[in-house]
Amino acid sequence: ILRWAAAQRAFGALAAAGIRAAPIKGAWLVERVYGDPAARRMSDVDIVVSPRSRERAHRSLTAAGFVRVGLRRNRPYTDRTHIAHKYVLEHGTSAAHLDVHFRLAPSGWLRVSNDELLDAGRPGNLTHIPCWQLTDPHNMCIVLYHLGHHGFTITREALGDLPFLRRAGLLDDVPGLLVQCRKWGCLTIAWQALALMNTVFPEVAVPLPQGSAPALLSRLYLSRVLRPGAFPPYAASRYALWDRVVHRWFLLDSTTQRLQALADPAWRLARDILAAPFG
């Protein structure tokens, strides 16, 4: 209840400032699919804004009572501030967390910008609060991508969103959805997410067209390391070179993405080191 109230307050403040802000992931699922905030737990509220709006968004949210958190001044380039800003709204001993995304993923991981998504969207509402709404196919690509964003270290509850999306008719055009994911560069993750759904929830299985299948080597690798009957299907470690490099290599679609995924954090780490005070 507190998170949903925080979402409404955030979107109200952003709309009042004339900022296009769209709910994604849990907040979108609650509004579009579940219809009841009590029907699906949200760990935080995720919002998409244009990179050009992030400073105005920050001022609007802080004026509405949100406090920015998670900023590590000694690591300005390698923390998550290059993707999203985190906020918290406190209420007694409880708190609601808010992620304002001006990028969906680190550089090179996805071939889509927030501005593209927002330009294709339309005005809408989060319950009775005005907000911007992305298209359903774009929201679906985000949901599928997020299932594998951390290497399929997902819960059964997270994968369980897909049967609800299936029953709501949002997975009726799987070929079209996979074409969109291919354009974004997240076909391998989307395909594997749907394959896991087919295995865990066979009653809502969807056909996976072979013409949209990811690279054979990636499919062979994932068939060896993922455990469809276990949660998480893959137990990744943020400290292991294999999980952070090799596993990610097979989840990305192209060699260009893979090289960027290696080069971008290396460049940001170098910037952190060069920016650190000496002595």
Side-chain angles (χ1 to χ4, degrees):
I1 292 172
L2 177 59
R3 292 187 186 98
W4 196 246
Q8 292 176 319
R9 180 183 294 194
F11 281 109
L14 294 168
I19 297 170
R20 294 188 304 179
I24 59 171
K25 298 177 352 190
W28 173 74
L29 285 163
V30 168
E31 177 70 16
R32 179 68 174 83
V33 179
Y34 291 91
D36 181 357
R40 185 192 186 277
R41 185 176 59 182
M42 292 191 297
S43 58
D44 53 23
V45 179
D46 291 281
I47 297 175
V48 159
V49 301
S50 168
R52 298 189 302 271
S53 301
R54 59 181 174 179
E55 294 304 323
R56 286 197 300 132
H58 173 71
R59 292 193 296 268
S60 300
L61 291 171
T62 52
F66 290 87
V67 177
R68 188 175 170 191
V69 296
L71 178 62
R72 294 173 288 181
R73 298 189 182 279
N74 60 327
R75 291 177 57 187
Y77 301 108
T78 51
D79 68 11
R80 281 182 53 83
T81 58
H82 67 289
I83 300 174
H85 290 169
K86 291 181 172 291
Y87 297 86
V88 65
L89 181 67
E90 295 183 348
H91 182 77
T93 58
S94 300
H97 294 268
L98 186 77
D99 280 6
V100 179
H101 295 263
F102 44 90
R103 295 170 67 180
L104 290 179
S107 178
W109 290 19
L110 289 177
R111 295 189 294 265
V112 64
S113 70
N114 284 15
D115 285 326
E116 292 176 75
L117 299 178
L118 293 166
D119 288 345
R122 65 193 187 284
N125 291 284
L126 189 75
T127 60
H128 61 284
I129 304 295
C131 70
W132 203 254
Q133 289 285 357
L134 306 185
T135 67
D136 283 345
H138 286 167
N139 270 307
M140 285 295 304
C141 288
I142 292 170
V143 168
L144 291 174
Y145 169 74
H146 189 256
L147 290 175
H149 176 82
H150 298 292
F152 288 103
T153 58
I154 55 175
T155 63
R156 185 182 180 90
E157 181 183 46
L159 188 67
D161 286 328
L162 297 187
F164 283 92
L165 290 163
R166 173 78 161 125
R167 297 182 186 107
L170 293 170
L171 281 173
D172 288 349
D173 183 17
V174 169
L177 185 60
L178 291 176
V179 167
Q180 182 70 66
C181 289
R182 186 190 294 275
K183 291 178 181 177
W184 284 24
C186 61
L187 173 65
T188 303
I189 287 176
W191 174 283
Q192 188 58 59
L194 293 172
L196 284 173
M197 182 195 78
N198 286 350
T199 301
V200 179
F201 304 104
E203 68 278 7
V204 293
V206 295
L208 293 175
Q210 289 302 311
S212 295
L216 177 60
L217 190 59
S218 292
R219 281 183 285 149
L220 290 174
Y221 168 79
L222 292 171
S223 70
R224 293 292 302 271
V225 301
L226 294 187
R227 302 167 299 162
F231 287 93
Y234 183 80
S237 167
R238 61 181 299 185
Y239 304 107
L241 182 65
W242 180 275
D243 294 327
R244 293 185 65 84
V245 177
V246 178
H247 188 62
R248 169 57 64 180
W249 185 276
F250 284 103
L251 287 177
L252 295 174
D253 288 355
S254 69
T255 301
T256 300
Q257 285 175 281
R258 293 161 183 157
L259 294 176
Q260 285 180 309
L262 293 175
D264 181 65
W267 166 239
R268 288 188 282 108
L269 178 61
R271 291 177 72 186
D272 265 351
I273 294 172
L274 293 173
F278 292 94

